[in-house]
Amino acid sequence: DVVEIGLGDSDVDPAVRGQLVRTVGQELRRRKLLREAKSFLEQSLALLEQAHGPEHPEVLANLKDLGVLSGDLLDPRASVEYFQRALPIAERQFGAEDPEYVAGILKNLGDAYENLGELEPAREQLERVLQIRIEEHGPRSTRVAITMSSIGNVLVKAGKYDEAIATLEESVAIRRESAPDNQRGLGY
């Protein structure tokens, strides 16, 4: 079996071995074997950093995997740490080419802060997502509305009810405008 050979053979190139270990970790996560998945993804991260250095896109993808997995494991502190490591790499690697990729990491980071109860950093990250999505998709797009809903939810948790209501109302208005005619009655 190729995976067993790749995992047990120290003569295998660290980049190849790192990808094999990452694939196993991703499959374990898919199967909901989360602790085992984390072990494999952490090993993969070390191998990929050894092979490529800390700035490589494969390292970035692995950090993102570990951030999401840490959220699955209800460990938002670890999730924040992985996404904080991933963010500057994503900004350097993809910021100009793929701002939505950076927005995705910012959104995950904001969610992790929210899960920690750190609502101001959560809001700051989500506000950055909002700016990217306005620039990329226009101020009345569905992605903007969804991001505004996330911000509104953070504002509710922060006890800023008037601001939350205004933000959520604007989100609903945008969703109604951007929804196809056959979905306008679905609560948008």
Side-chain angles (χ1 to χ4, degrees):
D1 176 299
V2 174
V3 172
E4 287 180 17
I5 293 169
L7 295 177
D9 185 352
S10 62
D11 292 334
V12 173
D13 174 17
V16 173
R17 190 163 184 234
Q19 279 300 327
L20 291 171
V21 173
R22 180 171 180 236
T23 299
V24 172
Q26 290 171 326
E27 179 59 22
L28 289 169
R29 179 176 179 260
R30 190 186 69 73
R31 293 180 184 202
K32 307 292 185 212
L33 299 169
L34 303 181
R35 299 226 178 271
E36 295 86 348
K38 186 170 185 182
S39 174
F40 278 87
L41 290 174
E42 287 172 339
Q43 291 174 56
S44 172
L45 179 61
L47 288 164
L48 293 170
E49 285 179 322
Q50 174 190 348
H52 301 299
E55 296 285 315
H56 195 273
E58 288 182 27
V59 170
L60 169 62
N62 210 88
L63 287 167
K64 194 172 160 190
D65 287 348
L66 280 162
V68 171
L69 178 63
S70 294
D72 293 345
L73 286 165
L74 304 177
D75 186 357
R77 174 61 57 205
S79 189
V80 164
E81 291 170 7
Y82 285 119
F83 288 125
Q84 283 178 331
R85 284 181 62 193
L87 182 58
I89 301 168
E91 289 172 329
R92 283 189 290 276
Q93 295 282 335
F94 300 107
E97 288 177 29
D98 191 356
E100 189 60 41
Y101 186 88
V102 174
I105 291 176
L106 285 164
K107 171 72 168 89
N108 287 332
L109 180 56
D111 290 346
Y113 275 125
E114 181 180 358
N115 291 333
L116 273 175
E118 295 182 17
L119 301 177
E120 194 52 40
R123 182 179 179 180
E124 290 168 6
Q125 302 311 313
L126 294 172
E127 292 284 352
R128 288 183 65 195
V129 173
L130 181 62
Q131 289 310 309
I132 290 169
R133 291 187 170 161
I134 287 171
E135 290 172 16
E136 289 299 303
H137 306 288
R140 307 304 285 177
S141 72
T142 301
R143 287 183 184 252
V144 166
I146 291 167
T147 304
M148 291 180 78
S149 290
S150 296
I151 293 168
N153 292 334
V154 168
L155 291 167
V156 168
K157 288 181 179 179
K160 298 179 179 181
Y161 303 120
D162 290 340
E163 197 175 347
I165 289 170
T167 301
L168 293 168
E169 285 176 341
E170 183 64 16
S171 172
V172 169
I174 294 169
R175 286 181 188 217
R176 283 190 177 138
E177 290 172 16
S178 61
D181 288 337
N182 64 346
Q183 293 182 2
R184 291 194 189 274
L186 297 178
Y188 290 92

